[in-house]
Amino acid sequence: MTTLYLFGSAAPPVLGVGTVIEDAQQRGFDVCLGLTPTAARWLEPQTAELERLTGHPVRSEYKAPGTADAWPKADVVLFAPATFNSINAWALGITSSFVVGVCAEGIGKGIPLVTMPCVNAAYAQHRALDRSVAELRDMGVSVLYGEGGFQPNPPGEGREFPWRLALDEVERAVGAGR
């Protein structure tokens, strides 16, 4: 079975991550869920159910040195929703968050990495976002943003997050040889 690290940050689509886990499992993935600290607080009431669903602990912090890893090795990582802060931190190599650190290290390990930002149109006007998206793409990360991916919406306007596109790209990234 192919192991998918599904990472999410604190954007509204993370609240429906249980359905995404089930969809990924139906596609044949063993899913391990990692969250930024704020996303972990948002999902705290669901943590036990998410752990039951995945069969793995939900993680939001680095493990202590010398501690065995509770997860199998990743075959692919999907970081979605990825906020403005997380995308910029990842592109800059600022790894204070567990999920950003794993993604930054994943570049060097050659793990297929897919991300779908979730930012509103106001954040999208900040020049750092375009630079970070370009930097991640230059490092081999599949960034689903703009045409064919997430398109920013006006601040405060909810919109359906295109999870299917993200999972389709994960399947493409690992290939049909699973």
Side-chain angles (χ1 to χ4, degrees):
M1 186 172 279
T2 303
T3 300
L4 166 64
Y5 284 9
L6 175 59
F7 290 163
S9 52
V14 80
L15 298 172
V17 75
T19 302
V20 180
I21 292 167
E22 290 171 340
D23 189 3
Q25 290 171 330
Q26 289 173 358
R27 293 172 184 234
F29 291 101
D30 177 23
V31 181
C32 298
L33 179 62
L35 302 165
T36 62
T38 302
R41 283 193 303 278
W42 288 9
L43 292 175
E44 191 171 351
Q46 300 175 42
T47 299
E49 175 59 21
L50 293 168
E51 289 179 343
R52 185 203 61 72
L53 184 60
T54 63
H56 302 287
V58 173
R59 294 185 56 194
S60 61
E61 297 181 8
Y62 287 103
K63 65 181 184 66
T67 303
D69 202 331
W71 289 356
K73 289 191 183 298
D75 294 304
V76 62
V77 176
L78 169 60
F79 192 171
T83 60
F84 177 81
N85 184 60
S86 293
I87 290 291
N88 289 320
W90 183 6
L92 291 170
I94 300 171
T95 60
S96 55
S97 162
F98 162 70
V99 295
V100 173
V102 171
C103 288
E105 188 176 37
I107 291 169
K109 288 182 172 181
I111 299 168
L113 298 156
V114 177
T115 189
M116 186 177 296
C118 183
V119 297
N120 67 39
Y123 280 124
Q125 295 304 307
H126 196 291
R127 290 184 293 187
L129 182 64
D130 286 338
R131 286 192 301 260
S132 294
V133 166
E135 186 70 21
L136 291 171
R137 286 177 174 155
D138 286 348
M139 289 186 273
V141 177
S142 179
V143 182
L144 302 173
Y145 179 73
E147 187 78 25
F150 182 81
Q151 305 226 7
N153 50 279
E157 179 187 293
R159 180 182 298 171
E160 187 173 339
F161 195 69
W163 285 110
R164 181 190 51 76
L165 292 176
L167 291 173
D168 289 350
E169 181 64 12
V170 165
E171 286 184 318
R172 190 206 59 74
V174 294
R178 296 191 281 129

